[in-house]
Amino acid sequence: MDYFAQQLINGIVLGSIYGLIAIGYTMVYGIVGMINFAHGDIFMIGGFIALISFLILVSFGLTVVPVILLIVLLVSMAITALYGWTVERIAYRPLRHSFRLAPMLSAIGMSFVLTNYSQVAQGARVKPVPPIITGGYTLYEADGFVVRLSNVQIIVVITTVVLLAIFTWMVARTRLGRDMRACEQDQTMAALLGVDVDRTISMTFVIGAALAAVAGMMYLLYYGLVDFFMGFVAGIKAFTAAVLGGIGSLPGAMLGGLLIGLIETMWSAYFSVEYKDVAAFSILIVVLIFLPTGLLGRPEVEKV
Amino acid sequence: MSGDCILSVDRLSMRFGGIVAVNDLTFSAERRKITALIGPNGAGKTTVFNCITGFYKPSGGSLKLTHGDGREIQLERLNDFRISKQARVARTFQNIRLFPGMTALENLMVAQHNALMRASGLTFLGLIGAPSWRAAEKRAIDLSKLWLERIGLLARADDAAGNLPYGDQRRLEIARAMCTEPALLCLDEPAAGLNARESAALSELLLAIRADHGASILLIEHDMSVVMEISDQVVVMDYGVKIAEGTPRQIRDDPKVIAAYLGADEDEAIAVMESGT
Amino acid sequence: MAGVTAAPASRSSAASYAPGAAFIFKKALISALVALVLFSLMIGVRTDAGPDGQLTYWTRFGDLAAMVATVFGGSIVVELLRQWWGPVGTVRIVPPSVQSGLAVARRAIAPLLLVFTFLVPVIFYNERYILDLGILVLTYVMLGWGLNVVVGLAGLLDLGYVAFYAVGAYSYALLATNFGFSFWICLPLAGILAAFCGVLLGFPVLRLRGDYLAIVTLAFGEIIRLVIINWQSLTGGPNGVTGIPRPTLFGIPLTPGDDGLAAMLGIEFSTTHRIVFLFYLILALALLTNWVTIRLRRLPIGRAWEALREDEVACRALGINTTTTKLTAFATGAMFGGLAGAFFATRQGFISPESFTFHESALVLAIVVLGGMGSQLGVALAALVMIGGFELFRGLEQFRMLVFGLAMVLLMIWRPRGLIGHRAPTVFLHHNQAISSDLVKEGHG
């Protein structure tokens, strides 16, 4: 039971990270109808930028942890968002009304570019950082087994919840959110009614990338490392989360993320660590076959 | 109803969530006759078609198809491609669904898929170019040629279907359905978007199909000149239920039908009355 | 669409929009600014673990400045090129005489290419490097043709094609090393096993459409790779399988020994014999793939594949069993992938999971799409361009994926419909005329 409780906590934290990435997939898929293959790599870039800005801040002698975290968060969100914008501008916008396969291949190409770019710019080796946030609470202790909730875990979950709340509010209540939903329904009609479609789509990529940057930073805080290849697998799992939750749905992405995080953690804890990715991918296949509209998605009626 | 029925629809219902698209509909279509299904937009006509052709599974009721040899098939128990393959019901679509990147000839060849698959020994005989396969392929091309000739498209056989004018596409879709050698042909608004001359040609084609091929036709149509000219029997639907049934003449004078059209749309009602006279 | 606009009109509009130097400069400046922000931390700062394991950083402002300057200059060049070339997407009207000339050239290119390929081992007998490259290109031609059945003809998006390549390679490797089966027995077995895997995967997933099918096949490819890595007792895990027997000429080994081919023919042994043999082997396998595909296209099954790509609903209304039709396409494509895999194993003599990453699937898919979905010649040309182009950048080993990724993006923007974008009909009455790619659908599943 103690072991289970600990795994539950770990799973929720991992799931929050997946959920943040999944939001980017779900928003882009909702509006442009394409899988943004480069999104996993945007997450990886976010992790790198968080790492580098953190190192710089520390070397400048800054020691107040909350201030460091805030600055790192803002810097990585801003720069990564620009990456998201640039990727859309270069690789997707020229293909907006093209054949279906062209943007997909362009996205795969962009994913390769970003992966290799980080590898060349920052080296292929894993970058470890010492724990930035230490301490935590012991929730329960018995028979030498301890259930701990660390401060990092608390921060990851709280940040996720706050950001999710902000962005859900944005999509539901603001002008930009309304434009996004309009573009999701019908781009031509939205354009006729004065919605700047290009700008709205760009903003979608920017928001998705900013959230992926947060996920990258949380990953760095939680695992204490980044590497250039971490985007691929995390990306597929986050996409699984987006589909599981129901593509196009923000709460769905978060829910899907939590479920994938829990399943992966539990699988590693009770079955085998080696096959944890196989488990995640198998879930993807099973979900798509039996629940293609996801948990919170709208069912699609076939028009004849 | 007595007589030689090919299709009897018995208490058919179709619900989508809380919406009842078709409610307790009963009618039948006679063999070698043209039965028209009319009604205002949203009356549930296409839903009936989708139930008959297996794209929807009815919420209730039965759809019985009786072949000429007395074989009976419950259509609601078959799904998908089996309706066409086993029950021999072919259909066209309201918004034309040809294979636009394939030629007119290829479209008709695809329609003969099941017969050709058997002839090609599930591909293996075809792969080695067996003579029996070659003969079958030649017969299939001849049948396609025959139909291209009937719809006046023989000269354009090698043009992409997507490149043909709208009216030609409509006729090609009917020819493609006929290439499956159906017992029942279901046409969803075949005259939609056609001009008066093309509509007249279509009427002629449908009458010829009935006369020469012994096919029974079930037709959804808004163009009343076509309906009145060629139908043997008319079924009128509104809000998912049948409101009238009879010969074109009976229907034209039925106050319930006129009210349904008037209630739905005034212009449409006037058009009905004018085209009927 | 815009293609209808006549050439003069577009030229005049290009002229009226011709931006001045100030505009170009402003645009380049913005690009440079964006680049500055993007590269500031990633290139301007380099992190690495110091000798004590502690992560340190140092600045590279020189590199950063160079990159930003490159973007600035590049942006100006691109803008000037765009002005010179006119708006993207305009159809340039080609005079009929040139068009017919092109048509003749197009018809001649396939036979000429084939003859040249046959002669490659003769011309370049002493150039081992070229022969090896030729074998590599032909392997990808075969893979491209195999995947073309699935993606180009049936319109099913498969991002996990490498899984079948891996199944074929491991089938041969394991059957040959464990049971001593010869290459010629294993080759069909590898094809059958891969086709079986295709059916196994295809059965549950084929009712998915479009992008979902793509992502599921991607996941399947990864699952196969992860299983190979982790099932160490069978596959040797990350270490792979070594000592895979080389192929024999129907039982006659290509070795220097007394029973070798050279001794039997009474000629002097040379390792080039084996390379030449491998070259013709993969050429034969690729041509077999091509022949079968061309044949299948003219059979009902092939027409059903293409009809499925065009309109699945209409197929169902015509009584075509879409599930089995999709399965046969999947299995056929998988079988060719498996055959290519077996060849890969015997050629390398060693295989490991590293050869079967997602990158391979993406490469083969890029070849098919760049080739112009469904065009056999296009796929062959695309394989030549991609693999050949890849070789040009061999010196820049660490930038290879960067270049490859950029090439994919640019090629898609340049030719979203591929090199050869029209479809040849499978049967005709009067004249065999190609169908413009604007009409041909890509499929939804």
Side-chain angles (χ1 to χ4, degrees), chain B:
Chain B
M1 183 180 288
S2 60
D4 186 13
C5 285
I6 181 156
L7 176 75
S8 30
V9 176
D10 190 30
R11 310 202 60 180
L12 176 74
S13 298
M14 184 73 216
R15 283 182 293 275
F16 299 101
I19 301 160
V20 184
V22 178
N23 190 11
D24 213 15
L25 179 77
T26 301
F27 73 91
S28 55
E30 282 179 65
R31 195 178 308 285
R32 290 171 210 278
K33 291 279 164 65
I34 297 178
T35 308
L37 196 56
I38 66 168
N41 287 327
K45 306 179 298 284
T46 298
T47 306
V48 173
F49 257 44
N50 285 339
C51 290
I52 294 173
T53 51
F55 283 93
Y56 294 161
K57 193 151 188 60
S59 316
S62 90
L63 297 156
K64 190 175 72 187
L65 187 88
T66 315
H67 277 285
D69 55 10
R71 195 161 54 100
E72 288 184 358
I73 295 173
Q74 293 299 133
L75 292 182
E76 75 276 7
R77 290 192 196 141
L78 292 179
N79 61 355
D80 214 53
F81 70 95
R82 290 187 188 86
I83 296 272
S84 168
K85 191 178 177 181
Q86 290 165 17
R88 311 218 72 83
V89 176
R91 74 170 290 176
T92 65
F93 295 88
Q94 201 170 336
N95 44 343
I96 308 174
R97 279 182 176 272
L98 287 167
F99 306 119
M102 302 174 88
T103 66
L105 177 63
E106 283 179 310
N107 267 274
L108 301 188
M109 294 292 280
V110 171
Q112 302 172 56
H113 176 78
N114 288 318
L116 284 176
M117 270 311 261
R118 273 191 302 278
S120 69
L122 299 176
T123 305
F124 295 105
L125 283 179
L127 209 53
I128 56 168
S132 65
W133 154 248
R134 287 192 191 172
E137 189 185 30
K138 193 175 172 308
R139 278 197 304 278
I141 293 176
D142 286 342
L143 181 66
S144 308
K145 258 160 91 174
L146 177 86
W147 275 104
L148 285 169
E149 203 168 359
R150 295 202 72 150
I151 59 171
L153 283 180
L154 192 55
R156 303 203 64 174
D158 301 323
D159 286 0
N163 258 347
L164 296 173
Y166 188 81
D168 290 350
Q169 293 196 14
R170 281 255 175 244
R171 289 205 306 282
L172 182 60
E173 205 191 8
I174 295 172
R176 190 181 66 179
M178 285 308 294
C179 277
T180 65
E181 310 204 302
L184 177 67
L185 176 65
C186 300
L187 303 173
D188 197 348
E189 298 198 25
L194 300 189
N195 61 33
R197 200 166 45 85
E198 288 171 326
S199 290
L202 177 80
S203 299
E204 227 167 275
L205 175 68
L206 295 185
L207 288 172
I209 285 176
R210 184 186 57 173
D212 304 347
H213 296 270
S216 318
I217 297 176
L218 187 63
L219 175 79
I220 293 178
E221 191 46 73
H222 279 300
D223 186 333
M224 287 305 149
S225 63
V226 173
V227 172
M228 294 297 156
E229 189 186 333
I230 66 170
S231 316
D232 301 299
Q233 180 81 4
V234 181
V235 176
V236 191
M237 280 181 77
D238 195 16
Y239 293 111
V241 295
K242 181 172 81 176
I243 58 169
E245 187 175 13
T247 61
R249 186 173 300 278
Q250 289 166 337
I251 292 300
R252 196 174 54 201
D253 302 329
D254 192 324
K256 266 195 291 185
V257 177
I258 296 167
Y261 273 89
L262 273 175
D265 186 277
E266 202 169 336
D267 297 336
E268 221 168 350
I270 292 165
V272 173
M273 292 194 272
E274 278 172 356
S275 65
T277 50

Side-chain angles (χ1 to χ4, degrees), chain C residues 337-420:
Chain C
L339 296 179
F343 171 81
F344 176 76
T346 190
R347 182 205 158 192
Q348 299 290 104
F350 160 76
I351 50 169
S352 77
E354 261 176 45
S355 307
F356 307 105
T357 55
F358 170 61
H359 164 232
E360 293 297 309
S361 294
L363 178 57
V364 179
L365 184 66
I367 287 173
V368 172
V369 175
L370 178 65
M373 310 244 300
S375 161
Q376 297 292 100
L377 175 61
V379 168
L381 288 176
L384 190 63
V385 169
M386 297 285 274
I387 307 299
F390 230 44
E391 275 310 299
L392 288 180
F393 290 96
R394 187 175 267 289
L396 304 164
E397 186 60 50
Q398 58 167 341
F399 296 101
R400 237 173 133 184
M401 290 304 291
L402 199 71
V403 173
F404 174 56
L406 269 181
M408 259 169 93
V409 173
L410 293 177
L411 285 171
M412 281 307 111
I413 292 172
W414 173 54
R415 294 217 84 151
R417 228 43 235 272
L419 293 173
I420 297 187

